[in-house]
Amino acid sequence: MRAVETVLRRHAEDGDRPLVEVTAEDGTAVVHSYREITRAARALGDRLDPGPRRRVGILCGDTAEAVVAELALLALRVTGCPVPPGASARTAAALLADVSAVLADTRGRALLAAWADRRVLPEGCPVVPVDLTALTDSAAGAYRVPDDDRDWICKILPASAASAGRVGIRAHAVDAHLGALRAELPAGAFARCAVTVPLGALAHQVAATPMAIADGGCLLLPPHGIPATALPDWTATVRPTALAVTPPAATALIGAARTARREGIPVPAALFGTARVPLLWCGTEVPPPLLRECEGLGLPVYAGYGLAGNTGAVSWNTPAARRSGTVGRLLSHVRAEIGPDGELLVGGDGLAVSLGSDAPADGWLHTGVRAAIDADGFIHLVRPDPARHAGEPLTPEIGRLLYSLVRSLRADCVVAFDGTADGSLDQLAAGARANGAGHIVGHVPDAHRAADTRARLTAAGLAPWAEVRHAGLHDLGRAPAPVDLALLDCRPDLTLPALTALEGRMRPGTIVLALGSAPTGPYLDRVRDGADYLSMPLPVGAGAEVSIRLTPAAAVHRPAPRPVPGPGTPTPQPSGE
């Protein structure tokens, strides 16, 4: 955080330098200076008791108050636990399980009221209101930046989007991350950073917000609830120098650029109010076809890849080194190698601290993403061969089965592995939406398929009900528990390992559905031996095996492997058939 604190020491009392510019719903801009925001942060810190563990939750919307809360905790050297946007009550409870207080703006307090019967906060945990006007009026003095440069866990974030797993982000890791980014980008690139990704998201927690402050710049917040289609009108008004591009934002920019060309208006002026295109950047969630369309319209988007376990970005395309179709070169603080199965493994100064028992023994962060690194150092995320890796095509019968299971079980937790890009996750999420409750988690080993699935769910209005993790088998053991319904739609050789990885998360009564060609051989031996499951085939689609868990996780039965029958030896039949 040294780059951020250097600027705060210099400009904290600057009443003319904007730090946050909020566009109201009527289009007027409300500008908050460095002096206003930092003095409010000082006032908030003065009234906060961080407790002996020095962990404080943050539950704020995309508001100036969210920045106040972050800076208050930074000055106190207190660990912030921001609840990401769209988090369920279950995820929020996991993130806030050991905090001593929660900082909440108006939106955060409304969420807590909606979750009143869900026990999201620890017993007796106080909620400290964050109101910029009230804090500014009560400010007792200037913001104080500590002199010490010790390393500490400055944030606790979900291990993946909306995940219940957590990682600790170290201050020195953030320094390494910001230093690597700033070395690759033009000076002042984030001087006016438009916020189209929520402030609570990873991209802003460890990249955009600190980068904007490190540039002595300003965060530009859009009107609350602005639709993606209106983003080009807003960006043309606020004139950003940097803009995070999501799939809806990319689609809106493409439409506006086409209209500008038809009308003979220069695209940069129509979309951004300037003669130059700002730094447009994105993660792997933006599908390549959208990036190619942007490119053709003179809107280069710099794609990168990152995850919380590496304090944000692993690699990034930059103005000085860019290759279409890749996620760029490794940043200077990152080392990587490709594992035996093609998985991208990451190490270096940016690694976060695992807060669970799942820290890799080999010292590498296992991304769960298959990749290749070319001779020039650009990283290509590899799409698997659909015929070999993806599940069978989703038939209407299977779709109805998935939807019906979620509805009839009123499933609170559903975990799907590998096949969610073919439409199965859509059906599961539709069932949860119809129930009005439920958390669907899809594990997709390939980043491109995961991005395609997220985009499709967003377009269908199902994103609030489903989380897509681009992760492999090793992540299944960290799935939410207890699992009510597990969907296995993967290669035959992965079905049994996936079941084994999930067994510790199951309860008696958990239903496991294996689709298509997956339920064969050893998998059927495992679920049909009569000890831990009641199982039977279903003649739907290309075939399915439905199994009901009989025993609790602590009593998992591990039968010895069956001998392979020789020629002429009758195959034993499962009991009950």
Side-chain angles (χ1 to χ4, degrees):
M1 294 295 195
R2 284 169 288 194
V4 171
E5 293 187 333
T6 296
V7 170
L8 292 175
R9 287 190 180 95
R10 185 182 307 137
H11 295 300
E13 284 295 287
D14 192 335
D16 296 322
R17 180 179 293 269
L19 176 51
V20 181
E21 180 180 314
V22 184
T23 303
E25 293 185 16
D26 64 1
T28 59
V30 180
V31 179
H32 303 284
S33 70
Y34 272 71
R35 177 186 173 91
E36 183 182 358
I37 295 292
T38 59
R39 286 202 164 217
R42 163 73 187 274
L44 180 60
D46 287 346
R47 65 178 62 177
L48 179 65
D49 178 8
R53 300 206 66 176
R54 300 186 69 76
R55 291 183 180 179
V56 172
I58 301 176
L59 194 54
C60 293
D62 298 331
T63 60
E65 281 81 359
V67 181
V68 170
E70 292 284 350
L71 294 185
L73 299 187
L74 176 62
L76 294 173
R77 293 294 190 261
V78 168
T79 301
C81 303
V83 177
S88 65
R90 179 202 296 268
T91 298
L95 287 169
L96 303 176
D98 49 10
V99 300
S100 56
V102 170
L103 306 179
D105 64 1
T106 302
R107 172 186 171 275
R109 295 194 295 276
L111 276 174
L112 289 173
W115 292 337
D117 60 345
R118 301 297 299 273
R119 297 184 181 178
V120 168
L121 300 183
E123 187 71 28
C125 177
V127 177
V128 180
V130 187
D131 182 286
L132 180 56
T133 301
L135 290 168
T136 302
D137 291 343
S138 65
Y143 185 78
R144 295 176 294 197
V145 179
D147 292 328
D148 64 283
D149 189 35
R150 58 191 167 95
D151 199 9
W152 53 291
I153 293 179
C154 57
K155 298 179 187 293
I156 293 176
L157 300 176
S160 61
S163 167
R166 304 185 299 168
V167 293
I169 305 297
R170 297 179 297 109
H172 286 185
V174 175
D175 283 336
H177 179 248
L178 295 180
L181 288 176
R182 299 186 77 211
E184 297 288 346
L185 298 175
F190 280 77
R192 288 182 63 80
C193 178
V195 176
T196 58
V197 176
L199 287 174
L202 172 66
H204 274 288
Q205 287 292 311
V206 297
T209 301
M211 285 285 286
I213 297 176
D215 274 345
C218 178
L219 290 169
L220 310 172
L221 304 183
H224 177 70
I226 182 173
T229 52
L231 282 176
D233 292 334
W234 175 67
T235 56
T237 301
V238 299
R239 301 185 174 190
T241 60
L243 173 68
V245 177
T246 61
T251 302
L253 292 175
I254 289 168
R258 287 174 176 164
T259 299
R261 282 193 170 183
R262 285 195 302 269
E263 297 176 353
I265 304 173
V267 169
L271 272 62
F272 309 112
T274 66
R276 299 179 59 185
V277 175
L279 179 75
L280 304 176
W281 57 284
C282 72
T284 54
E285 73 277 2
V286 180
L290 287 181
L291 297 181
R292 289 192 291 269
E293 286 192 71
C294 288
E295 180 81 22
L297 291 164
L299 302 172
V301 181
Y302 299 96
Y305 171 66
L307 66 171
N310 192 63
T311 311
V314 170
S315 61
W316 207 352
N317 281 285
T318 67
R322 179 167 169 267
R323 181 161 294 174
S324 181
T326 75
V327 291
R329 289 172 170 164
L330 291 174
L331 293 174
S332 60
H333 69 303
V334 180
R335 57 188 174 89
E337 68 177 37
I338 304 300
D341 59 352
E343 182 185 18
L344 179 65
L345 308 179
V346 174
D349 294 338
L351 289 187
V353 178
S354 173
L355 298 182
S357 58
D358 51 2
D362 58 6
W364 290 99
L365 173 63
H366 290 249
T367 66
V369 175
R370 295 174 65 243
I373 303 176
D374 66 24
D376 296 319
F378 288 91
I379 298 177
H380 302 251
L381 300 184
V382 179
R383 287 180 178 270
D385 175 4
R388 188 165 58 89
H389 294 283
E392 297 292 331
L394 190 71
T395 65
E397 294 83 5
I398 291 291
R400 286 195 295 270
L401 174 64
L402 297 177
Y403 178 84
S404 300
L405 282 172
V406 174
R407 291 300 309 276
S408 61
L409 291 171
R410 299 199 63 81
D412 187 46
C413 177
V414 180
V415 176
F417 176 64
D418 194 75
T420 52
D422 63 11
S424 53
L425 194 59
D426 307 58
Q427 297 296 328
L428 296 170
R433 180 174 63 180
N435 285 340
H439 184 51
I440 315 297
V441 181
H443 287 70
V444 184
D446 179 75
H448 290 292
R449 288 175 57 210
D452 290 345
T453 304
R454 290 192 193 102
R456 190 177 63 248
L457 288 166
T458 299
L462 294 170
W465 305 98
E467 169 196 352
V468 182
R469 302 178 182 180
H470 57 90
L473 279 169
H474 69 279
D475 244 10
L476 287 174
R478 299 194 292 271
V483 175
D484 299 311
L485 173 64
L487 172 65
L488 308 180
D489 183 16
C490 52
R491 290 173 6 214
D493 60 308
L494 294 181
T495 312
L496 182 57
L499 177 74
T500 303
L502 271 174
E503 282 182 329
R505 319 301 291 169
M506 295 181 186
R507 59 169 176 79
T510 296
I511 292 179
V512 183
L513 186 68
L515 297 183
S517 60
T520 58
Y523 178 84
L524 293 184
D525 286 347
R526 174 75 181 93
V527 297
R528 290 184 181 177
D529 73 355
D532 297 316
Y533 296 90
L534 177 64
S535 190
M536 66 190 71
L538 290 179
V540 293
E545 182 81 7
V546 61
S547 310
I548 303 173
R549 179 76 181 183
L550 300 177
T551 54
V556 171
H557 174 62
R558 295 280 185 264
R562 294 188 179 187
V564 178
T569 304
T571 302
Q573 294 298 311
S575 59
E577 287 195 338

